[in-house]
């Protein structure tokens, strides 16, 4: 971490000055208007705050620090974390320094496993995961230093310290929850010689003779890392962190949002949908049969999971990266074939249906079929994987928010009477 921290120490004063100057010169210029309809529509499209780690464009999807996602799908989670924080990829020495830092914080405290053991047998894995993170709040360096009068200028360093320690533990925690919750036997201890995704694959204990499952998890953890600042989980964690709640509190807040079926839980819902297609047809249905199946679901007032997006208006490049992986690594698999075939059918159905502004697949449409293929079949676990990765984005955003001294979030709500009288 020393090298990452030093890089940030060098960058932060320049960015602080740049932003101070920007506000001094252009602070009173407008960047957005708000209509009455937007006030009742989840703030959709309102440009109201800044997130520099990544941006999402309607026609290209995720851009990380200026680099379109499809140009960097080969990089590791550790590299993307460095990129999110510093705007550049690490060199070999910096990468090994960061890996070393992660590997010295792999162990999850015993009291966490005890708490998880006491939870109901059918607890949702996301509830277990978030409970565990919240239970570790007492480990927070930020909270301790804040209590001891830490000056504002040091907030970001304490957030980074907490962030690294927490991120290092998440593969251990996720894999341990998987084995505990799905009766897979004893937990497998982390191996400090392995990298983030390699360690996860080692600890989850599924066979991976070809190494392809490791490649998938590396891709998975990289693709889910961040999606600008306005999505439910990022915005929730941003808001909670703005009260100077420490990263354990703030990350849990974000992940509770990720556990919603319209957000991260859509990956579990999506595979559930695909498996219901397979089970109902006892085979891979034709495109016409799939079309009818989707219409029946829509007529019952249900969404097609994995399709649509609040910002995107094109196939999600994260979806495309997963499909490419599947096409390169998977032959003759019913579940993957159904996912591929749905892509030919659903956009047309949603367009004809006429409601969804974006008929294209999002990240959640394909990921589950790949995990399922490699033996990770318990789909209510999938959002935990999303969470392990997305914590990188939340932490990176938090480090910069504290470095830039962004104040407590407090937009103004208005009443319907006020709107009626004022508009
Ligand atoms: N199937 C059916 N109807 C859909 C739809 C879908 N996949 N996507 C949108 N619609 C409907 C909406 O429910 C809404 O209907 P009402 O007017 O009756 O309320 C209408 O189309 C307009 O919605 P929108 O403006 O296009 O979409 P929103 O910005 O409101 O919501 C969602 C975006 C992603 C929540 C939405 O597309 C959806 O529910 N998709 C299915 C769930 C899903 O895949 N979620 C994961 C999104 C990616 C993500 O965050 N992952 O973590």
């Amino acid at each position: 971490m020393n090298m990452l921290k030093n890089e940030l120490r060098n960058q932060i004063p320049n960015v602080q000055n740049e932003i101070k100057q920007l506000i001094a010169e252009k602070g009173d210029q407008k960047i957005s208007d708000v209509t009455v309809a937007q006030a009742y529509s989840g703030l959709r499209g309102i440009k109201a705050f800044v997130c520099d780690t990544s941006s999402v464009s309607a026609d290209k999807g995720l851009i990380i620090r200026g680099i379109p996602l499809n140009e960097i799908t080969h990089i590791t989670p550790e590299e993307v974390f460095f990129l999110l924080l510093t705007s550049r990829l690490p060199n070999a020495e910096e990468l090994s320094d960061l890996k070393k830092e992660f590997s010295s914080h792999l162990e999850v405290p015993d009291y966490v496993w005890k708490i998880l053991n006491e939870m109901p047998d059918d607890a949702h894995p996301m509830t277990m995961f978030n409970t565990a993170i919240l239970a570790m709040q007492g480990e927070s360096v930020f909270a301790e230093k804040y209590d001891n009068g830490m000056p504002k200028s040091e907030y970001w360093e304490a957030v980074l310290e907490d962030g690294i320690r927490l991120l290092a533990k998440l593969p251990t925690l996720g894999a341990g929850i998987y084995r505990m919750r799905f009766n897979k036997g004893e937990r497998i201890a982390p191996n400090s010689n392995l990298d983030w995704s390699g360690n996860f694959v080692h600890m989850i204990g599924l066979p991976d003779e070809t190494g392809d499952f490791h490649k998938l998890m590396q891709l998975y953890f990289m693709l889910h890392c961040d999606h600008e600042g306005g999505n439910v989980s990022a915005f929730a964690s941003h808001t909670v962190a703005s009260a100077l709640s420490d990263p354990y509190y703030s990350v849990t807040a974000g992940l509770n949002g990720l556990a919603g079926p319209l957000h991260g839980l859509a990956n579990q819902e999506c595979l559930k949908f695909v498996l219901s297609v397979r089970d109902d047809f006892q085979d891979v249905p034709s495109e016409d049969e799939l079309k009818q199946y989707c219409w029946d679901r829509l007529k019952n007032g249900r969404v097609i999971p994995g399709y649509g997006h609040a910002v995107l208006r094109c196939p999600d490049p994260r979806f495309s990266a997963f499909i490419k992986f599947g096409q390169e690594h998977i032959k003759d698999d019913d579940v993957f074939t159904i996912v591929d075939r749905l892509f030919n059918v659903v956009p047309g159905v949603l367009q004809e249906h006429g409601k969804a502004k974006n008929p294209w697949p999002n990240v959640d449409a394909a990921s589950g079929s790949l995990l399922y293929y490699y033996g990770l079949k318990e789909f209510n676990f999938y959002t935990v994987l999303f969470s392990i990765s997305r914590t990188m984005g939340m932490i990176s955003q938090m480090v910069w928010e504290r470095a830039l001294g962004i104040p407590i979030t407090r937009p103004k709500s208005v009443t319907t009477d006020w709107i009626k009288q004022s508009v």
Side-chain angles (χ1 to χ4, degrees), residues 44 262-264 266 303-304 306-308 310 355-357 362 364 386:
R44 198 74 82 264
L262 295 189
H263 192 16
V303 297
I304 309 288
Y307 283 77
K355 274 190 168 187
K357 293 189 189 70
N362 59 56
D364 297 319
F386 195 152

Side-chain angles (χ1 to χ4, degrees), residues 158-192:
V159 169
L160 182 61
E161 185 77 41
D162 273 348
I164 296 267
R165 290 176 188 214
L166 177 59
L167 279 165
K169 291 176 178 46
L170 294 187
T172 317
L173 184 60
I177 288 174
Y178 177 77
R179 294 188 68 80
M180 181 186 281
R181 174 64 176 73
F182 300 107
N183 303 315
K184 301 285 179 184
E186 292 290 303
R187 286 194 310 277
I188 300 170
N191 175 346
S192 55

Side-chain angles (χ1 to χ4, degrees), residues 150-165:
M150 162 175 60
K152 257 187 173 180
S153 56
E154 290 174 17
Y155 287 177
W156 71 265
E157 293 193 33
V159 169
L160 182 61
E161 185 77 41
D162 273 348
I164 296 267
R165 290 176 188 214

Side-chain angles (χ1 to χ4, degrees), residues 119-130 177 181 259 265 268 379-384:
M119 291 182 75
D121 290 346
D122 61 353
H124 194 284
M126 275 302 283
T127 315
M128 297 173 78
F129 192 70
N130 290 356
I177 288 174
R181 174 64 176 73
L265 206 77
Q268 111 171 22
F379 49 80
N380 56 354
F381 181 71
Y382 293 173
T383 312
V384 170

